Amino acid sequence: MGLQEIAVGGIFISPLLIYALFGFIATIVLRSLLHWVVGQRALWYEAWFDVSLFVLFTAGITFLFSFLLEST
């Protein structure tokens, strides 16, 4: 299963923390790209847009990794 804890130096870390980090990086990259292409004024409610991108990327990465790890 894709959501089993990872032991790092005797401390158990949730893989969701790593997935959230990947989601945050993907959000920052896409947000920067959209600001460069579209501009800042085209995005209304920027904070809500950032949060929704982060949630979508984190959920997608979690699904992708759990699917890949489950099939092996």
Side-chain angles (χ1 to χ4, degrees):
M1 201 188 252
L3 288 177
Q4 293 179 351
E5 292 118 0
I6 302 167
V8 177
I11 299 172
F12 291 110
I13 297 176
S14 172
L16 194 58
L17 179 67
I18 297 168
Y19 301 156
L21 181 64
F22 288 152
F24 182 71
I25 291 169
T27 300
I28 295 297
V29 168
L30 185 64
R31 182 178 183 257
S32 300
L33 183 67
L34 282 175
H35 277 287
W36 182 69
V37 171
V38 178
Q40 285 183 326
R41 294 180 186 221
L43 298 175
W44 290 359
Y45 301 110
E46 234 177 299
W48 285 109
F49 183 74
D50 291 341
V51 168
S52 62
L53 269 180
F54 173 72
V55 168
L56 287 172
F57 274 127
T58 303
I61 289 170
T62 302
F63 177 75
L64 182 68
F65 273 105
S66 65
F67 178 74
L68 289 175
L69 293 174
E70 194 172 283
S71 64
T72 58

